[in-house]
Amino acid sequence: MLLLQNLGYTHPNKDVLFNGLNLVVNKQQKIALIGNNGAGKSTLLQLIAGILPPSSGLVSASSVPYYIPQHFGQFDDLTVAQALHIEGKMTALREILDGRATDAHMAALDDDWTIEERSQEALLYWGLAGLCFTQPMASLSGGQKTKVFLAGIAIHQPDLVLLDEPSNHLDTAGRQLLYHFIKTSPSTLLVVSHDRNLLNLLDSVCELSKRVLSMYGGNYEFYAEQKQVESNALSQDVKSREKALRKAREVEREAVERKQKLDARGKKNQDKAGLPTVMLNMMRNNAENSSARLKGIHAEKVGAISQELNELRKELPDTEKMKFGFDSSTLHKGKILLTAKDLNYSYGPRPLWREALNFQIQSGERLALRGLNGSGKTTLIKLLLGELQPTLGTMTRAENKAVFIDQDYSLLDNQLAVYEQAQQFNASGLQEHEVKIRLARFLFSKAYWDKPCGTLSGGEKMRLLLCCLMISNHAPDMIILDEPTNNLDIQNLEILTAALNDYHGTLIVVSHDEYFLKQMQVERTMRLE
């Protein structure tokens, strides 16, 4: 079905992304392709789809792949029919049915007499009933664009489907349809995703890391268990080498001290014996040479163990290298922070919510804010933050420090360098080296300190913002997150999860990611209709 042989890709600037990749995908196999941001997952899909040419090696597929990209801006100038590559057939069908059959029309239709009916049924399945095929793609939301291309699978019925983050723009209902498709599709699937619920529906996991493809039989949970076993073994090896290094240094110190005592005693005895100067110099040289040899032997052993330890530490997952530590919120758990009474908001003559909202939010609570796209989640967040005032009812706020982390990480200034941005949050007056130590804990090495924030990936911006919050003098009393799992790879999702589980203030999360909400130990859900 699909074969990759010694596949390599080099960027136009001559940077090698990966080289020597090998993979065999069998018919009807369903594989998750995972890896950190920047590993080359999307590029690999584009190579398989034939959009990019490989720099080396071979891609061989038994049929033309159907590819759904992560971003759709390149299709904005097209109609729905053009984006789906059905405009020619639809036009030919209409001309033939109107009595204007020509050889060109018949060739264009290629006996696909059900194209219109099949296309409408496909759009209906994905909740796009009534969508006109002549409608511009630019007029659709991100979720609608995704569904258009997903509908194309039923229209074209490909044997091999490549999906790049297909759940990113889908709401809960859309994700459920996607999950059903994944489970029931007879096609061979290769899926890039960070949606753990989706990944658990796939047969195998293929990890792209350090320019190597590693296959794990089983779904994501099986993969995660295997990686945890590997990580535990690696951590044990690191601890063992650390212990061996401490022991080697202790032995080295004891040997040097023992030799120094023996040399001092020998010198004292030599002085008493009244030996000739030539003999004393010879004995002194022998003692110094013996000490140097002893130091060399121990230094070589210590150096070898130290080198092994450094190599092992490089293999540790980045999440294990990181240090979290939110300061505690100054508010006691259970304090009422927000009270909404008969709350509603209007952008026009009609209120946004069918029924007025009545609720309280307490300090230390973990709350999920749910609702379909357009149900007013963003408006409610602005009301919670005091950026909007209610049209109807009241919103009472206790004094608290709240932080809103949106999908664009707009708390960060894209013009500032990473170090400059960290200093903006340095309310406690940490010294320069202390700020840089904290940046390093969040995987921002010296190479990052002068980089503009605008050049960082979504995962890097998330890590920088978490680092900045921990640099600030006090943890916020409340953190509100808007779809925090969108566009984050699994590594950065794990980092975000670990950091937020170390936070003890109030947490409000807007998310369609059930797996993430479960990890966040959400206690209550508020649904907007």
Side-chain angles (χ1 to χ4, degrees), residues 96-233:
I96 293 168
L97 293 178
D98 288 342
R100 292 185 292 274
T102 65
D103 290 342
H105 292 149
M106 296 299 291
L109 185 60
D110 193 24
D111 283 337
D112 192 357
W113 298 98
T114 64
I115 180 63
E116 185 169 11
E117 180 183 357
R118 199 167 68 251
S119 299
Q120 288 173 343
E121 287 177 355
L123 293 179
L124 178 63
Y125 173 85
W126 290 102
L128 298 174
L131 184 67
C132 181
F133 290 106
T134 59
Q135 188 167 338
M137 289 290 289
S139 67
L140 305 182
S141 68
Q144 288 174 320
K145 290 176 182 177
T146 301
K147 290 176 181 179
V148 163
F149 282 93
L150 288 169
I153 299 171
I155 295 170
H156 295 288
Q157 300 174 357
D159 291 328
L160 175 61
V161 178
L162 312 174
L163 301 165
D164 193 353
E165 298 288 1
S167 64
N168 260 10
H169 301 288
L170 299 180
D171 58 19
T172 301
R175 289 186 181 213
Q176 292 304 318
L177 289 172
L178 176 62
Y179 299 157
H180 180 262
F181 162 75
I182 294 290
K183 287 187 286 187
T184 60
S185 174
S187 298
T188 303
L189 304 179
L190 187 57
V191 186
V192 171
S193 181
H194 62 266
D195 181 341
R196 275 75 56 92
N197 281 336
L198 188 158
L199 295 176
N200 277 329
L201 301 175
L202 301 166
D203 305 327
S204 309
V205 173
C206 187
E207 181 186 46
L208 179 57
S209 63
K210 296 175 183 174
R211 303 178 182 178
V212 173
L213 277 173
S214 304
M215 184 69 80
Y216 294 79
N219 65 6
Y220 177 77
E221 284 189 358
F222 176 82
Y223 159 82
E225 289 170 3
Q226 293 297 110
K227 293 296 285 187
Q228 189 60 55
V229 170
E230 293 175 14
S231 178
N232 291 343

Side-chain angles (χ1 to χ4, degrees), residues 247-435:
K247 182 66 175 175
R249 284 173 173 164
E250 185 180 336
V251 169
E252 178 186 30
R253 179 180 55 78
E254 290 174 350
V256 170
E257 288 176 355
R258 187 164 54 249
K259 186 70 171 65
Q260 287 172 343
K261 287 178 182 178
L262 289 172
D263 288 348
R265 191 180 305 149
K267 184 177 184 302
K268 187 176 181 181
N269 292 336
Q270 292 162 12
D271 291 340
K272 285 181 179 179
L275 296 172
T277 303
V278 173
M279 182 67 72
L280 288 174
N281 288 338
M282 185 177 70
M283 295 175 71
R284 187 178 299 113
N285 288 337
N286 288 340
E288 289 174 354
N289 290 336
S290 176
S291 296
R293 282 196 303 273
L294 181 66
K295 286 181 180 179
I297 291 168
H298 285 287
E300 185 177 343
K301 185 174 182 180
V302 168
I305 296 174
S306 181
Q307 178 66 25
E308 290 175 11
L309 180 58
N310 287 335
E311 292 300 320
L312 285 172
R313 282 174 172 162
K314 289 177 184 177
E315 298 297 319
L316 282 172
D318 286 336
T319 47
E320 294 197 17
K321 303 174 190 173
M322 298 185 67
K323 304 291 183 184
F324 301 107
F326 274 114
D327 289 335
S328 296
S329 167
T330 56
L331 301 179
H332 67 268
K333 190 175 177 67
K335 177 181 173 66
I336 297 174
L337 298 183
L338 297 159
T339 301
K341 187 173 182 181
D342 297 327
L343 182 74
N344 220 320
Y345 190 85
S346 299
Y347 287 102
R350 296 174 58 186
L352 183 57
W353 299 297
R354 190 170 55 205
E355 294 184 8
L357 306 181
N358 291 277
F359 60 84
Q360 286 185 336
I361 297 176
Q362 299 179 354
S363 177
E365 189 174 9
R366 295 193 162 220
L367 172 71
L369 187 56
R370 310 292 291 271
L372 299 176
N373 292 339
S375 61
K377 298 186 293 294
T378 302
T379 299
L380 181 56
I381 287 172
K382 290 181 178 180
L383 289 165
L384 296 177
L385 294 170
E387 295 176 7
L388 289 177
Q389 298 304 313
T391 307
L392 299 170
T394 59
M395 172 71 79
T396 306
R397 268 178 221 89
E399 187 170 341
N400 66 84
K401 179 184 176 184
V403 167
F404 175 44
I405 302 178
D406 61 14
Q407 296 181 50
D408 297 321
Y409 304 101
S410 52
L411 280 175
L412 301 178
D413 185 339
N414 286 333
Q415 306 305 313
L416 291 179
V418 167
Y419 172 73
E420 293 172 334
Q421 180 65 77
Q423 282 287 18
Q424 296 292 309
F425 284 77
N426 186 13
S428 57
L430 295 174
Q431 296 295 312
E432 178 178 336
H433 72 279
E434 293 175 308
V435 173

